[in-house]
Amino acid sequence: MPSYSVLIADDRRLCRNQLSALPVFSDKNVFKIVGEAQNGLEALDILRREKVDIVLTDIHMPKMSGISLLCEIKRENLCPCVIFVSGSADFDYAVAGIQNGVFDYVTKPVDEHKIAQSIFRAKHFIDSKRKQEFFWISKADAVIKAIINCDWLIDGAVYNFLEYIKNQDFSITKLEIELNHILEYISSSCLEARPYIRKFSLIEKICQIKNMLFNSPDELIDYARLKIKELYSEFNKFNLNTENPVLKNIGTHIIENVEQSVSLEDISNDFLMNKKYLSTLFKKETGISFIDYVSHVKIERAKILLCRSGYQVNQVAAKLGYKDVAYFSRLFKEKTGKTPLFYSKAL
């Protein structure tokens, strides 16, 4: 069962506590309260950072009223359902809410049954919107498939998907939230197919569009396109250009056992192959020598160990099976253009 994120905005703590304690929110697997705000500005800040499905807001609040908050939410397309929960029964406020797209209006003191009905109506409305988003997911899945299959037609899949997103008429703020969600969806789906990539890549950094200044949605879309291409490169950095299933299995074995012994002799014994024959076949079929491929995998793992683990250079070398630290450092610089020490400090 999908979950629905809820934000509560009210300047009175007692009212916020009463709303958050309602029985309708008892099952956290259905409705999850992701934040509380004591005025419209605080609520707006949360909405610009979090994906929120339902906002329960008072009308009379300091700094920014519920009416003004509703206007900003609709202008930036930040949330599909805004419900006014107010002690005011003034007809003018109801009219202002309707004119600006409020989903429902519940008066205080809150009746548990009425607020539950309103929230479940919002849930059904969101469900219908999510069904419409199936098209979004199908296009995203086409991108994921292209990444996993190392498809050279990836550019077409990415273009079609991002053009669809661009045509949804999001504000830049909402578009940034949506694109972060998209990058997270693509990366997590790809990681299900290749979980070992976590050991070789800072995926979480690639999947973030934050603290960036964009002058237009087109600039933001172009930046997201670069991010997706970066994900493509990360998930295919160890791809062997061969259809030989034995060599593919050997490549996977090397990747998954990068910190173990993966010498030519060890691999030939593990796969019951002649060492010389394996070396010749590997280079002929893939275009890269067995030793160079192993070095490539080990250096990629070394990058992550240097920036994540806090290990010293000699410790990383030893962990990856290099007994000669000087040789490891030379190899690292040859592959990356930087010494291991400089690389670790530059991050």
Side-chain angles (χ1 to χ4, degrees), residues 133-134 136-145 147 161 178-192 207 231 235:
E133 288 172 359
F134 177 79
W136 176 102
I137 293 174
S138 68
K139 285 186 172 292
D141 287 346
V143 174
I144 292 162
K145 184 178 179 181
I147 291 174
F161 180 44
E178 203 67 22
L179 288 174
N180 274 301
H181 177 58
I182 286 166
L183 290 170
E184 182 182 348
Y185 176 77
I186 291 173
S187 64
S188 61
S189 298
C190 290
L191 282 169
E192 288 180 10
C207 297
L231 284 174
F235 279 98

PDB file of all heavy atoms in Angstrom, residues 133-134 136-145 147 161 178-192 207 231 235:
ATOM      1  N   GLU A 133       0.353   9.204 -13.488  1.00  0.00           N
ATOM      2  CA  GLU A 133       1.813   9.253 -13.501  1.00  0.00           C
ATOM      3  C   GLU A 133       2.433   7.943 -13.975  1.00  0.00           C
ATOM      4  O   GLU A 133       3.655   7.833 -14.084  1.00  0.00           O
ATOM      5  CB  GLU A 133       2.334   9.599 -12.111  1.00  0.00           C
ATOM      6  CG  GLU A 133       2.087  11.057 -11.718  1.00  0.00           C
ATOM      7  CD  GLU A 133       2.442  11.335 -10.268  1.00  0.00           C
ATOM      8  OE1 GLU A 133       2.856  10.385  -9.559  1.00  0.00           O
ATOM      9  OE2 GLU A 133       2.296  12.488  -9.845  1.00  0.00           O
ATOM     10  N   PHE A 134       1.592   6.927 -14.238  1.00  0.00           N
ATOM     11  CA  PHE A 134       2.112   5.668 -14.754  1.00  0.00           C
ATOM     12  C   PHE A 134       2.894   5.912 -16.045  1.00  0.00           C
ATOM     13  O   PHE A 134       3.899   5.253 -16.307  1.00  0.00           O
ATOM     14  CB  PHE A 134       0.971   4.677 -15.007  1.00  0.00           C
ATOM     15  CG  PHE A 134       1.432   3.385 -15.613  1.00  0.00           C
ATOM     16  CD1 PHE A 134       2.020   2.408 -14.829  1.00  0.00           C
ATOM     17  CD2 PHE A 134       1.286   3.154 -16.970  1.00  0.00           C
ATOM     18  CE1 PHE A 134       2.465   1.218 -15.388  1.00  0.00           C
ATOM     19  CE2 PHE A 134       1.719   1.969 -17.547  1.00  0.00           C
ATOM     20  CZ  PHE A 134       2.306   0.990 -16.757  1.00  0.00           C
ATOM     21  N   TRP A 136       4.592   8.528 -16.721  1.00  0.00           N
ATOM     22  CA  TRP A 136       5.887   9.050 -16.246  1.00  0.00           C
ATOM     23  C   TRP A 136       6.820   7.891 -15.931  1.00  0.00           C
ATOM     24  O   TRP A 136       7.964   7.854 -16.346  1.00  0.00           O
ATOM     25  CB  TRP A 136       5.609   9.900 -15.009  1.00  0.00           C
ATOM     26  CG  TRP A 136       6.773  10.478 -14.271  1.00  0.00           C
ATOM     27  CD1 TRP A 136       7.213  11.752 -14.342  1.00  0.00           C
ATOM     28  CD2 TRP A 136       7.611   9.841 -13.298  1.00  0.00           C
ATOM     29  NE1 TRP A 136       8.281  11.945 -13.471  1.00  0.00           N
ATOM     30  CE2 TRP A 136       8.535  10.774 -12.833  1.00  0.00           C
ATOM     31  CE3 TRP A 136       7.678   8.548 -12.789  1.00  0.00           C
ATOM     32  CZ2 TRP A 136       9.512  10.479 -11.884  1.00  0.00           C
ATOM     33  CZ3 TRP A 136       8.650   8.239 -11.848  1.00  0.00           C
ATOM     34  CH2 TRP A 136       9.539   9.208 -11.410  1.00  0.00           C
ATOM     35  N   ILE A 137       6.304   6.897 -15.186  1.00  0.00           N
ATOM     36  CA  ILE A 137       7.143   5.771 -14.767  1.00  0.00           C
ATOM     37  C   ILE A 137       7.572   4.942 -15.966  1.00  0.00           C
ATOM     38  O   ILE A 137       8.715   4.478 -16.039  1.00  0.00           O
ATOM     39  CB  ILE A 137       6.387   4.904 -13.736  1.00  0.00           C
ATOM     40  CG1 ILE A 137       6.204   5.703 -12.445  1.00  0.00           C
ATOM     41  CG2 ILE A 137       7.124   3.606 -13.454  1.00  0.00           C
ATOM     42  CD1 ILE A 137       5.352   5.020 -11.401  1.00  0.00           C
ATOM     43  N   SER A 138       6.668   4.748 -16.929  1.00  0.00           N
ATOM     44  CA  SER A 138       7.019   3.946 -18.104  1.00  0.00           C
ATOM     45  C   SER A 138       8.156   4.588 -18.881  1.00  0.00           C
ATOM     46  O   SER A 138       9.051   3.902 -19.383  1.00  0.00           O
ATOM     47  CB  SER A 138       5.799   3.754 -19.011  1.00  0.00           C
ATOM     48  OG  SER A 138       5.403   4.972 -19.604  1.00  0.00           O
ATOM     49  N   LYS A 139       8.150   5.921 -18.972  1.00  0.00           N
ATOM     50  CA  LYS A 139       9.236   6.612 -19.660  1.00  0.00           C
ATOM     51  C   LYS A 139      10.531   6.540 -18.852  1.00  0.00           C
ATOM     52  O   LYS A 139      11.620   6.400 -19.405  1.00  0.00           O
ATOM     53  CB  LYS A 139       8.845   8.070 -19.934  1.00  0.00           C
ATOM     54  CG  LYS A 139       7.850   8.228 -21.073  1.00  0.00           C
ATOM     55  CD  LYS A 139       7.613   9.682 -21.401  1.00  0.00           C
ATOM     56  CE  LYS A 139       6.767   9.817 -22.656  1.00  0.00           C
ATOM     57  NZ  LYS A 139       7.446   9.374 -23.872  1.00  0.00           N
ATOM     58  N   ALA A 140      10.416   6.648 -17.530  1.00  0.00           N
ATOM     59  CA  ALA A 140      11.596   6.520 -16.678  1.00  0.00           C
ATOM     60  C   ALA A 140      12.170   5.119 -16.781  1.00  0.00           C
ATOM     61  O   ALA A 140      13.394   4.931 -16.807  1.00  0.00           O
ATOM     62  CB  ALA A 140      11.242   6.846 -15.229  1.00  0.00           C
ATOM     63  N   ASP A 141      11.294   4.123 -16.854  1.00  0.00           N
ATOM     64  CA  ASP A 141      11.751   2.733 -16.965  1.00  0.00           C
ATOM     65  C   ASP A 141      12.490   2.491 -18.276  1.00  0.00           C
ATOM     66  O   ASP A 141      13.391   1.645 -18.343  1.00  0.00           O
ATOM     67  CB  ASP A 141      10.568   1.772 -16.832  1.00  0.00           C
ATOM     68  CG  ASP A 141      10.057   1.674 -15.398  1.00  0.00           C
ATOM     69  OD1 ASP A 141      10.777   2.135 -14.483  1.00  0.00           O
ATOM     70  OD2 ASP A 141       8.944   1.152 -15.188  1.00  0.00           O
ATOM     71  N   ALA A 142      12.130   3.226 -19.310  1.00  0.00           N
ATOM     72  CA  ALA A 142      12.845   3.113 -20.586  1.00  0.00           C
ATOM     73  C   ALA A 142      14.277   3.617 -20.428  1.00  0.00           C
ATOM     74  O   ALA A 142      15.228   3.045 -20.993  1.00  0.00           O
ATOM     75  CB  ALA A 142      12.120   3.904 -21.675  1.00  0.00           C
ATOM     76  N   VAL A 143      14.456   4.678 -19.639  1.00  0.00           N
ATOM     77  CA  VAL A 143      15.798   5.202 -19.357  1.00  0.00           C
ATOM     78  C   VAL A 143      16.592   4.194 -18.530  1.00  0.00           C
ATOM     79  O   VAL A 143      17.764   3.920 -18.804  1.00  0.00           O
ATOM     80  CB  VAL A 143      15.715   6.546 -18.604  1.00  0.00           C
ATOM     81  CG1 VAL A 143      17.099   7.016 -18.178  1.00  0.00           C
ATOM     82  CG2 VAL A 143      15.046   7.604 -19.481  1.00  0.00           C
ATOM     83  N   ILE A 144      15.943   3.620 -17.513  1.00  0.00           N
ATOM     84  CA  ILE A 144      16.596   2.631 -16.646  1.00  0.00           C
ATOM     85  C   ILE A 144      17.052   1.431 -17.472  1.00  0.00           C
ATOM     86  O   ILE A 144      18.172   0.947 -17.312  1.00  0.00           O
ATOM     87  CB  ILE A 144      15.633   2.193 -15.522  1.00  0.00           C
ATOM     88  CG1 ILE A 144      15.397   3.357 -14.559  1.00  0.00           C
ATOM     89  CG2 ILE A 144      16.185   0.985 -14.767  1.00  0.00           C
ATOM     90  CD1 ILE A 144      14.179   3.194 -13.685  1.00  0.00           C
ATOM     91  N   LYS A 145      16.183   0.966 -18.344  1.00  0.00           N
ATOM     92  CA  LYS A 145      16.522  -0.178 -19.197  1.00  0.00           C
ATOM     93  C   LYS A 145      17.725   0.134 -20.080  1.00  0.00           C
ATOM     94  O   LYS A 145      18.625  -0.709 -20.265  1.00  0.00           O
ATOM     95  CB  LYS A 145      15.314  -0.552 -20.059  1.00  0.00           C
ATOM     96  CG  LYS A 145      15.527  -1.795 -20.914  1.00  0.00           C
ATOM     97  CD  LYS A 145      14.267  -2.126 -21.700  1.00  0.00           C
ATOM     98  CE  LYS A 145      14.484  -3.362 -22.586  1.00  0.00           C
ATOM     99  NZ  LYS A 145      13.264  -3.689 -23.369  1.00  0.00           N
ATOM    100  N   ILE A 147      20.118   2.253 -19.437  1.00  0.00           N
ATOM    101  CA  ILE A 147      21.321   2.310 -18.595  1.00  0.00           C
ATOM    102  C   ILE A 147      21.820   0.903 -18.294  1.00  0.00           C
ATOM    103  O   ILE A 147      23.004   0.593 -18.466  1.00  0.00           O
ATOM    104  CB  ILE A 147      21.034   3.067 -17.283  1.00  0.00           C
ATOM    105  CG1 ILE A 147      20.793   4.542 -17.559  1.00  0.00           C
ATOM    106  CG2 ILE A 147      22.205   2.903 -16.297  1.00  0.00           C
ATOM    107  CD1 ILE A 147      20.361   5.345 -16.346  1.00  0.00           C
ATOM    108  N   PHE A 161      11.922  11.358 -22.200  1.00  0.00           N
ATOM    109  CA  PHE A 161      11.475  11.443 -20.812  1.00  0.00           C
ATOM    110  C   PHE A 161      11.507  12.877 -20.309  1.00  0.00           C
ATOM    111  O   PHE A 161      10.529  13.384 -19.746  1.00  0.00           O
ATOM    112  CB  PHE A 161      12.362  10.546 -19.943  1.00  0.00           C
ATOM    113  CG  PHE A 161      11.986  10.556 -18.490  1.00  0.00           C
ATOM    114  CD1 PHE A 161      10.660  10.485 -18.090  1.00  0.00           C
ATOM    115  CD2 PHE A 161      12.954  10.646 -17.513  1.00  0.00           C
ATOM    116  CE1 PHE A 161      10.307  10.492 -16.748  1.00  0.00           C
ATOM    117  CE2 PHE A 161      12.619  10.648 -16.176  1.00  0.00           C
ATOM    118  CZ  PHE A 161      11.285  10.574 -15.792  1.00  0.00           C
ATOM    119  N   GLU A 178      10.971  17.564  -8.371  1.00  0.00           N
ATOM    120  CA  GLU A 178      10.572  16.431  -9.206  1.00  0.00           C
ATOM    121  C   GLU A 178      11.787  15.741  -9.818  1.00  0.00           C
ATOM    122  O   GLU A 178      11.865  14.498  -9.860  1.00  0.00           O
ATOM    123  CB  GLU A 178       9.633  16.919 -10.306  1.00  0.00           C
ATOM    124  CG  GLU A 178       8.735  15.854 -10.884  1.00  0.00           C
ATOM    125  CD  GLU A 178       7.700  15.335  -9.899  1.00  0.00           C
ATOM    126  OE1 GLU A 178       7.376  16.041  -8.921  1.00  0.00           O
ATOM    127  OE2 GLU A 178       7.225  14.215 -10.102  1.00  0.00           O
ATOM    128  N   LEU A 179      12.762  16.524 -10.269  1.00  0.00           N
ATOM    129  CA  LEU A 179      13.953  15.944 -10.897  1.00  0.00           C
ATOM    130  C   LEU A 179      14.817  15.208  -9.873  1.00  0.00           C
ATOM    131  O   LEU A 179      15.423  14.173 -10.192  1.00  0.00           O
ATOM    132  CB  LEU A 179      14.759  17.031 -11.606  1.00  0.00           C
ATOM    133  CG  LEU A 179      14.118  17.562 -12.896  1.00  0.00           C
ATOM    134  CD1 LEU A 179      14.907  18.744 -13.443  1.00  0.00           C
ATOM    135  CD2 LEU A 179      14.007  16.464 -13.954  1.00  0.00           C
ATOM    136  N   ASN A 180      14.878  15.712  -8.651  1.00  0.00           N
ATOM    137  CA  ASN A 180      15.586  14.975  -7.599  1.00  0.00           C
ATOM    138  C   ASN A 180      14.904  13.632  -7.351  1.00  0.00           C
ATOM    139  O   ASN A 180      15.571  12.606  -7.162  1.00  0.00           O
ATOM    140  CB  ASN A 180      15.628  15.793  -6.305  1.00  0.00           C
ATOM    141  CG  ASN A 180      16.805  16.744  -6.259  1.00  0.00           C
ATOM    142  OD1 ASN A 180      17.952  16.333  -6.347  1.00  0.00           O
ATOM    143  ND2 ASN A 180      16.531  18.033  -6.137  1.00  0.00           N
ATOM    144  N   HIS A 181      13.581  13.650  -7.349  1.00  0.00           N
ATOM    145  CA  HIS A 181      12.812  12.416  -7.179  1.00  0.00           C
ATOM    146  C   HIS A 181      13.091  11.461  -8.334  1.00  0.00           C
ATOM    147  O   HIS A 181      13.253  10.239  -8.135  1.00  0.00           O
ATOM    148  CB  HIS A 181      11.327  12.772  -7.099  1.00  0.00           C
ATOM    149  CG  HIS A 181      10.412  11.588  -7.000  1.00  0.00           C
ATOM    150  ND1 HIS A 181      10.500  10.656  -5.992  1.00  0.00           N
ATOM    151  CD2 HIS A 181       9.385  11.181  -7.799  1.00  0.00           C
ATOM    152  CE1 HIS A 181       9.570   9.723  -6.171  1.00  0.00           C
ATOM    153  NE2 HIS A 181       8.884  10.024  -7.255  1.00  0.00           N
ATOM    154  N   ILE A 182      13.153  11.983  -9.545  1.00  0.00           N
ATOM    155  CA  ILE A 182      13.423  11.170 -10.732  1.00  0.00           C
ATOM    156  C   ILE A 182      14.801  10.525 -10.666  1.00  0.00           C
ATOM    157  O   ILE A 182      14.963   9.328 -10.915  1.00  0.00           O
ATOM    158  CB  ILE A 182      13.291  12.040 -12.002  1.00  0.00           C
ATOM    159  CG1 ILE A 182      11.815  12.323 -12.283  1.00  0.00           C
ATOM    160  CG2 ILE A 182      13.950  11.381 -13.209  1.00  0.00           C
ATOM    161  CD1 ILE A 182      11.585  13.432 -13.290  1.00  0.00           C
ATOM    162  N   LEU A 183      15.813  11.316 -10.317  1.00  0.00           N
ATOM    163  CA  LEU A 183      17.175  10.786 -10.231  1.00  0.00           C
ATOM    164  C   LEU A 183      17.283   9.692  -9.169  1.00  0.00           C
ATOM    165  O   LEU A 183      17.963   8.682  -9.366  1.00  0.00           O
ATOM    166  CB  LEU A 183      18.165  11.920  -9.931  1.00  0.00           C
ATOM    167  CG  LEU A 183      18.395  12.914 -11.063  1.00  0.00           C
ATOM    168  CD1 LEU A 183      19.202  14.107 -10.567  1.00  0.00           C
ATOM    169  CD2 LEU A 183      19.125  12.246 -12.232  1.00  0.00           C
ATOM    170  N   GLU A 184      16.582   9.904  -8.057  1.00  0.00           N
ATOM    171  CA  GLU A 184      16.581   8.892  -6.997  1.00  0.00           C
ATOM    172  C   GLU A 184      15.906   7.606  -7.490  1.00  0.00           C
ATOM    173  O   GLU A 184      16.389   6.497  -7.222  1.00  0.00           O
ATOM    174  CB  GLU A 184      15.851   9.431  -5.766  1.00  0.00           C
ATOM    175  CG  GLU A 184      15.837   8.452  -4.597  1.00  0.00           C
ATOM    176  CD  GLU A 184      15.061   8.983  -3.406  1.00  0.00           C
ATOM    177  OE1 GLU A 184      14.718  10.181  -3.386  1.00  0.00           O
ATOM    178  OE2 GLU A 184      14.786   8.181  -2.498  1.00  0.00           O
ATOM    179  N   TYR A 185      14.795   7.755  -8.207  1.00  0.00           N
ATOM    180  CA  TYR A 185      14.072   6.591  -8.734  1.00  0.00           C
ATOM    181  C   TYR A 185      14.944   5.819  -9.730  1.00  0.00           C
ATOM    182  O   TYR A 185      15.035   4.580  -9.672  1.00  0.00           O
ATOM    183  CB  TYR A 185      12.780   7.048  -9.406  1.00  0.00           C
ATOM    184  CG  TYR A 185      11.999   5.934 -10.072  1.00  0.00           C
ATOM    185  CD1 TYR A 185      11.249   5.049  -9.305  1.00  0.00           C
ATOM    186  CD2 TYR A 185      12.024   5.771 -11.458  1.00  0.00           C
ATOM    187  CE1 TYR A 185      10.526   4.017  -9.914  1.00  0.00           C
ATOM    188  CE2 TYR A 185      11.311   4.749 -12.067  1.00  0.00           C
ATOM    189  CZ  TYR A 185      10.569   3.871 -11.293  1.00  0.00           C
ATOM    190  OH  TYR A 185       9.878   2.845 -11.897  1.00  0.00           O
ATOM    191  N   ILE A 186      15.591   6.528 -10.633  1.00  0.00           N
ATOM    192  CA  ILE A 186      16.428   5.876 -11.641  1.00  0.00           C
ATOM    193  C   ILE A 186      17.609   5.166 -10.986  1.00  0.00           C
ATOM    194  O   ILE A 186      17.900   4.002 -11.293  1.00  0.00           O
ATOM    195  CB  ILE A 186      16.915   6.902 -12.683  1.00  0.00           C
ATOM    196  CG1 ILE A 186      15.740   7.389 -13.538  1.00  0.00           C
ATOM    197  CG2 ILE A 186      18.007   6.297 -13.579  1.00  0.00           C
ATOM    198  CD1 ILE A 186      16.089   8.525 -14.487  1.00  0.00           C
ATOM    199  N   SER A 187      18.297   5.848 -10.074  1.00  0.00           N
ATOM    200  CA  SER A 187      19.487   5.252  -9.457  1.00  0.00           C
ATOM    201  C   SER A 187      19.128   4.049  -8.597  1.00  0.00           C
ATOM    202  O   SER A 187      19.812   3.019  -8.639  1.00  0.00           O
ATOM    203  CB  SER A 187      20.236   6.291  -8.626  1.00  0.00           C
ATOM    204  OG  SER A 187      19.452   6.730  -7.537  1.00  0.00           O
ATOM    205  N   SER A 188      18.047   4.149  -7.801  1.00  0.00           N
ATOM    206  CA  SER A 188      17.667   3.027  -6.937  1.00  0.00           C
ATOM    207  C   SER A 188      17.242   1.825  -7.767  1.00  0.00           C
ATOM    208  O   SER A 188      17.542   0.677  -7.408  1.00  0.00           O
ATOM    209  CB  SER A 188      16.552   3.437  -5.974  1.00  0.00           C
ATOM    210  OG  SER A 188      15.389   3.825  -6.678  1.00  0.00           O
ATOM    211  N   SER A 189      16.567   2.066  -8.890  1.00  0.00           N
ATOM    212  CA  SER A 189      16.160   0.966  -9.771  1.00  0.00           C
ATOM    213  C   SER A 189      17.374   0.302 -10.407  1.00  0.00           C
ATOM    214  O   SER A 189      17.436  -0.931 -10.507  1.00  0.00           O
ATOM    215  CB  SER A 189      15.212   1.477 -10.856  1.00  0.00           C
ATOM    216  OG  SER A 189      14.029   2.006 -10.295  1.00  0.00           O
ATOM    217  N   CYS A 190      18.347   1.108 -10.817  1.00  0.00           N
ATOM    218  CA  CYS A 190      19.565   0.557 -11.415  1.00  0.00           C
ATOM    219  C   CYS A 190      20.392  -0.203 -10.377  1.00  0.00           C
ATOM    220  O   CYS A 190      21.020  -1.227 -10.688  1.00  0.00           O
ATOM    221  CB  CYS A 190      20.404   1.669 -12.040  1.00  0.00           C
ATOM    222  SG  CYS A 190      19.674   2.394 -13.527  1.00  0.00           S
ATOM    223  N   LEU A 191      20.379   0.277  -9.132  1.00  0.00           N
ATOM    224  CA  LEU A 191      21.120  -0.400  -8.070  1.00  0.00           C
ATOM    225  C   LEU A 191      20.525  -1.763  -7.739  1.00  0.00           C
ATOM    226  O   LEU A 191      21.244  -2.658  -7.276  1.00  0.00           O
ATOM    227  CB  LEU A 191      21.171   0.466  -6.810  1.00  0.00           C
ATOM    228  CG  LEU A 191      22.186   1.609  -6.828  1.00  0.00           C
ATOM    229  CD1 LEU A 191      21.955   2.553  -5.660  1.00  0.00           C
ATOM    230  CD2 LEU A 191      23.620   1.067  -6.811  1.00  0.00           C
ATOM    231  N   GLU A 192      19.238  -1.931  -7.966  1.00  0.00           N
ATOM    232  CA  GLU A 192      18.640  -3.245  -7.767  1.00  0.00           C
ATOM    233  C   GLU A 192      19.238  -4.256  -8.731  1.00  0.00           C
ATOM    234  O   GLU A 192      19.397  -5.434  -8.391  1.00  0.00           O
ATOM    235  CB  GLU A 192      17.120  -3.172  -7.970  1.00  0.00           C
ATOM    236  CG  GLU A 192      16.390  -2.446  -6.846  1.00  0.00           C
ATOM    237  CD  GLU A 192      14.897  -2.381  -7.078  1.00  0.00           C
ATOM    238  OE1 GLU A 192      14.411  -3.067  -8.011  1.00  0.00           O
ATOM    239  OE2 GLU A 192      14.205  -1.651  -6.338  1.00  0.00           O
ATOM    240  N   CYS A 207      22.978  12.017  -7.589  1.00  0.00           N
ATOM    241  CA  CYS A 207      21.521  12.135  -7.598  1.00  0.00           C
ATOM    242  C   CYS A 207      21.006  13.306  -6.775  1.00  0.00           C
ATOM    243  O   CYS A 207      19.940  13.218  -6.169  1.00  0.00           O
ATOM    244  CB  CYS A 207      20.905  10.836  -7.077  1.00  0.00           C
ATOM    245  SG  CYS A 207      21.274   9.452  -8.129  1.00  0.00           S
ATOM    246  N   LEU A 231      25.013   9.009 -14.517  1.00  0.00           N
ATOM    247  CA  LEU A 231      24.569   7.719 -13.968  1.00  0.00           C
ATOM    248  C   LEU A 231      24.836   6.596 -14.971  1.00  0.00           C
ATOM    249  O   LEU A 231      25.282   5.501 -14.597  1.00  0.00           O
ATOM    250  CB  LEU A 231      23.071   7.770 -13.640  1.00  0.00           C
ATOM    251  CG  LEU A 231      22.657   8.525 -12.376  1.00  0.00           C
ATOM    252  CD1 LEU A 231      21.133   8.610 -12.294  1.00  0.00           C
ATOM    253  CD2 LEU A 231      23.211   7.858 -11.135  1.00  0.00           C
ATOM    254  N   PHE A 235      27.159   3.345 -14.005  1.00  0.00           N
ATOM    255  CA  PHE A 235      26.661   1.972 -13.994  1.00  0.00           C
ATOM    256  C   PHE A 235      27.283   1.111 -15.092  1.00  0.00           C
ATOM    257  O   PHE A 235      27.101  -0.121 -15.073  1.00  0.00           O
ATOM    258  CB  PHE A 235      25.138   1.961 -14.109  1.00  0.00           C
ATOM    259  CG  PHE A 235      24.437   2.221 -12.816  1.00  0.00           C
ATOM    260  CD1 PHE A 235      23.970   3.494 -12.513  1.00  0.00           C
ATOM    261  CD2 PHE A 235      24.270   1.217 -11.881  1.00  0.00           C
ATOM    262  CE1 PHE A 235      23.333   3.752 -11.309  1.00  0.00           C
ATOM    263  CE2 PHE A 235      23.638   1.462 -10.663  1.00  0.00           C
ATOM    264  CZ  PHE A 235      23.172   2.734 -10.376  1.00  0.00           C
TER     265      PHE A 235
END
